[in-house]
Amino acid sequence: MQSQLIAVLEKCSAITQEQATNLNIILAQNSGSAPDLIVSHHYLTAQALSLALSTYFDEGICSISDFPSKLTCGKLNLGELIQAHQAIPLSIENDTTLILGLSDPTNIEAQDDFRFATGLQIKPVLVDHQQLVGAIRKLYGKQIASTQGDSKSVSDSELADLAEFDDDANTDELVADEAPVSRYIQQVLMDAVRKQASDIHFEPFEQRYQIRFRLDGILQTHGSPPVGISRRLSTRLKILAKLNIAERRLPQDGRIKLTLADGKSIDMRVSTLPTLFGEKVVLRILDGGSVALDIDSLGYSEKQKQDYLTALDKPQGLILMTGPTGSGKTVSLYTGLKYLNTAERNISTAEDPVEINLPGINQVNINNDIKLDFATALRAFLRQDPDVVMVGEMRDLETAEIGIKAAQTGHLVLSTLHTNSAAESITRLANMGVAPYNLAASLTLIIAQRLARRLCSHCKVPHNQDDHQLTALQNQYPSLLRTHVFQAHPEGCDHCNNGYLGRVGIYEVMRIDRMLSEAIGSDASAPDLERIAIDNGMLTLPLSGIEKLNQGTTSLAELQRVISL
């Protein structure tokens, strides 16, 4: 069936007949909307699409920011309809007419559905597709549905009623999926996945209860249900994670699998902690499918990327990723593993836990309860004819020594450490008891990294030139820092979260050459090793951060947060 929008674009010569035919084929084979596919397949930009439709229909392009769209959407509560049709209610005129923003004016079905759902007359207006998608994403996140469907929202009054009778003795209602507390938790979990949160915090306090999502590395409050339902929420989460609901005195760990309507499932690692006012529960969302393992998108400079790929191309050696928890080490490692993942290589990984499922790689979950630790898994790998081995973390001397021995005997080994810089990783291993000559013989590359939030390209603004922190940095790096840098818009826009959207890596890539190898073997200090690496062209974390600042990728405030620039 031919799309009416594609026919209009062909008629007004915005696309050719051949492009129209190809687009109809793509539309028939994919589930996205026509505007989505036109823009994502680069037939037209969002702006060109809007201009073509504006000319054809002889109507102006409206800006969503000129309307109280958030208030209108909240009043109508039609989230499913808005996401399904990619149409946004902008305002209600005279209590009779709904102003409906569309990037596809030919979408008559959307207009009919909103007319039926609201009982109002519909006045369609043309909006920019990119602005429309950004506004919907900000309100509802990405479009996802669970296998149980999107449960009916739980009202504040239902939560208040539950708070009056907070009794965990009867768990029948907590097991039932349609009970209010169960629907509420389902609602929170789906919101977190839609918004692409990495963690969910359920936190009880004396006078309040709060739920927070970690978005782009920063915790943001999502909701504050009545404090009286604290025990119900923790009990339901423990039931989902198959934990002991009677044990409230000790921490527990478990997992929840959330199955979506498209057959995809998302694992969540669950951790409970007894606190002064109840059990705090934290869920880590292990959504490996949402991670793009593309080295070009991670933020490496060209030289840093080439140093990493050169180390990966070697048949043996040790590659280390270092940085604090949540700095993106796993994604960097798996980007390398994806590059290495060919039919000719046998690759095995030991992780705690496995966060990204990569077909073609043998992945092992560490389980200390049955004494399957990193050292045990690594010893087993070496009896499995491996080419490449990845160890989640070198936590102790035994694991480090086995990994280094493997790197010296013809295997490529990748692993992580928790240190602040690349040079300090060598000192840490030496302090563990690894002989310096073994480090010198096995190490090929060390990457220290951090994750900084990306500035939103739609609303970033020039940094205040009178800011004393910027002036001090310009005085410190007069030949490196450009005059014009950017900062986040204080209010953000429809495309972002408070002026930021996504994250970018900041890297310190230390290539172990002959000079560094000799210094390591001589048990040189971390400052001496760093000085040699800098002389050989290594960018330190601060210098890499300034490079991102010059590119307009991130802000000074963000660099000060992640690397204390």
Side-chain angles (χ1 to χ4, degrees):
M1 180 179 175
Q2 188 182 39
S3 163
Q4 186 64 30
L5 176 63
I6 294 171
V8 165
L9 293 173
E10 181 186 357
K11 189 172 182 180
C12 67
S13 302
I15 58 174
T16 65
Q17 183 179 6
E18 182 182 0
Q19 288 175 323
T21 302
N22 292 337
L23 274 169
N24 278 308
I25 293 172
I26 292 170
L27 187 61
Q29 296 173 343
N30 292 272
S31 58
S33 68
D36 267 341
L37 295 172
I38 289 166
V39 173
S40 64
H41 284 75
H42 307 292
Y43 284 88
L44 291 171
T45 65
Q47 185 179 22
L49 174 64
S50 300
L51 287 172
L53 294 173
S54 174
T55 302
Y56 182 83
F57 289 104
D58 192 24
E59 65 173 276
I61 304 171
C62 295
S63 174
I64 294 176
S65 59
D66 292 338
F67 295 87
S69 57
K70 185 176 180 179
L71 184 66
T72 306
C73 291
K75 181 179 180 180
L76 294 176
N77 194 24
L78 296 174
E80 289 182 47
L81 207 57
I82 291 167
Q83 293 176 86
H85 285 301
Q86 286 195 330
I88 187 165
L90 298 175
S91 66
I92 298 175
E93 289 185 348
N94 304 320
D95 294 328
T96 59
T97 304
L98 174 64
I99 309 300
L100 185 67
L102 296 157
S103 61
D104 177 6
T106 68
N107 190 349
I108 304 302
E109 183 183 355
Q111 299 175 43
D112 289 342
D113 285 352
F114 275 93
R115 183 180 296 110
F116 178 79
T118 63
L120 301 171
Q121 295 299 312
I122 304 299
K123 180 182 177 181
V125 297
L126 179 63
V127 297
D128 178 86
H129 181 67
Q130 194 171 23
Q131 191 181 93
L132 172 65
V133 171
I136 294 174
R137 189 199 69 81
K138 191 168 184 178
L139 285 169
Y140 304 104
K142 60 182 181 179
Q143 186 174 351
I144 289 176
S146 71
T147 52
Q148 297 172 339
D150 282 343
S151 302
K152 181 182 176 182
S153 295
V154 181
S155 66
D156 291 341
S157 60
E158 283 183 282
L159 292 178
D161 290 342
L162 290 175
E164 292 182 17
F165 304 99
D166 187 18
D167 180 11
D168 283 340
N170 181 3
T171 60
D172 289 345
E173 66 161 304
L174 297 173
V175 175
D177 289 333
E178 290 306 311
V181 69
S182 303
R183 287 189 287 117
Y184 180 69
I185 286 179
Q186 172 81 1
Q187 193 175 302
V188 171
L189 299 187
M190 293 304 299
D191 283 346
V193 174
R194 288 188 180 106
K195 294 178 182 292
Q196 302 180 61
S198 61
D199 302 86
I200 314 170
H201 292 241
F202 294 83
E203 301 171 305
F205 299 100
E206 184 175 15
Q207 301 296 333
R208 63 191 176 89
Y209 192 98
Q210 73 177 10
I211 298 173
R212 294 190 290 174
F213 293 169
R214 189 174 293 279
L215 303 171
D216 293 334
I218 301 294
L219 281 171
Q220 296 182 18
T221 300
H222 173 71
S224 297
V227 68
I229 66 169
S230 167
R231 290 175 65 180
R232 289 175 179 267
L233 291 175
S234 62
T235 300
R236 174 59 182 171
L237 287 166
K238 285 159 74 174
I239 288 172
L240 291 173
K242 298 180 172 57
L243 299 178
N244 181 359
I245 62 173
E247 180 57 77
R248 296 195 182 98
R249 301 164 301 169
L250 295 172
Q252 297 186 66
D253 295 298
R255 294 176 83 94
I256 292 173
K257 184 182 285 290
L258 184 65
T259 305
L260 307 180
D262 59 3
K264 176 184 173 186
S265 62
I266 293 174
D267 282 330
M268 298 186 180
R269 191 171 70 212
V270 182
S271 172
T272 71
L273 180 70
T275 69
L276 193 60
F277 300 107
E279 284 183 285
K280 175 181 178 179
V281 185
V282 175
L283 279 65
R284 164 63 58 89
I285 301 175
L286 308 175
D287 184 10
S290 68
V291 180
L293 301 176
D294 175 19
I295 195 167
D296 290 321
S297 67
L298 296 184
Y300 288 100
S301 70
E302 191 59 34
K303 182 182 182 301
Q304 290 173 335
K305 182 178 81 169
Q306 289 307 316
D307 284 344
Y308 189 19
L309 295 178
T310 299
L312 291 171
D313 286 332
K314 293 184 177 181
Q316 64 186 58
L318 175 61
I319 298 174
L320 287 177
M321 299 283 174
T322 182
T325 300
S327 60
K329 299 186 296 295
T330 300
V331 172
S332 288
L333 281 177
Y334 263 90
T335 300
L337 291 177
K338 183 183 178 184
Y339 174 80
L340 295 167
N341 190 17
T342 63
E344 293 79 25
R345 290 189 179 97
N346 175 22
I347 304 176
S348 297
T349 74
E351 303 166 74
D352 185 19
V354 174
E355 295 191 25
I356 299 173
N357 179 24
L358 197 58
I361 290 180
N362 307 290
Q363 299 171 268
V364 174
N365 258 321
I366 294 304
N367 187 343
N368 290 311
D369 292 340
I370 58 173
K371 297 183 179 179
L372 177 58
D373 54 18
F374 284 118
T376 303
L378 191 47
R379 277 194 294 268
F381 290 167
L382 297 179
R383 296 191 292 270
Q384 291 273 314
D385 184 30
D387 296 296
V388 180
V389 170
M390 194 270 269
V391 185
E393 184 183 347
M394 288 193 170
R395 293 179 178 172
D396 51 54
L397 177 60
E398 184 181 14
T399 305
E401 286 186 329
I402 298 171
I404 287 169
K405 181 181 178 181
Q408 292 174 343
T409 56
H411 307 91
L412 184 61
V413 180
L414 295 84
S415 190
T416 71
L417 278 174
H418 288 91
T419 58
N420 292 324
S421 70
E424 287 178 24
S425 301
I426 299 168
T427 305
R428 172 69 58 82
L429 289 170
N431 290 339
M432 279 185 188
V434 179
Y437 62 84
N438 278 332
L439 288 173
S442 57
L443 278 169
T444 57
L445 190 77
I446 305 175
I447 300 177
Q449 67 180 80
R450 303 289 189 274
L451 284 178
R453 289 181 294 170
R454 287 181 185 268
L455 285 170
C456 174
S457 60
H458 298 92
C459 68
K460 64 183 179 182
V461 296
H463 196 102
N464 178 13
Q465 292 299 308
D466 296 329
D467 181 58
H468 72 278
Q469 293 177 328
L470 180 62
T471 303
L473 195 63
Q474 287 170 335
N475 292 335
Q476 186 177 357
Y477 301 100
S479 61
L480 295 177
L481 186 61
R482 293 178 184 170
T483 306
H484 299 291
V485 297
F486 291 88
Q487 64 184 16
H489 192 287
E491 297 178 4
C493 69
D494 290 334
H495 301 272
C496 63
N497 295 312
N498 302 321
Y500 295 94
L501 183 61
R503 291 191 285 178
V504 64
I506 299 172
Y507 302 95
E508 181 177 280
V509 179
M510 178 183 281
R511 180 173 56 87
I512 310 299
D513 58 10
R514 182 182 57 81
M515 191 178 298
L516 264 175
S517 183
E518 290 175 356
I520 293 168
S522 302
D523 202 15
S525 67
D528 289 340
L529 294 172
E530 186 172 280
R531 193 158 40 246
I532 295 170
I534 291 171
D535 290 341
N536 290 341
M538 182 187 80
L539 284 179
T540 62
L541 285 170
L543 294 180
S544 292
I546 288 174
E547 195 174 74
K548 297 292 187 295
L549 194 60
N550 285 335
Q551 294 167 356
T553 305
T554 192
S555 67
L556 177 57
E558 188 64 5
L559 290 180
Q560 289 172 328
R561 184 182 71 85
V562 297
I563 59 175
S564 301
L565 189 62

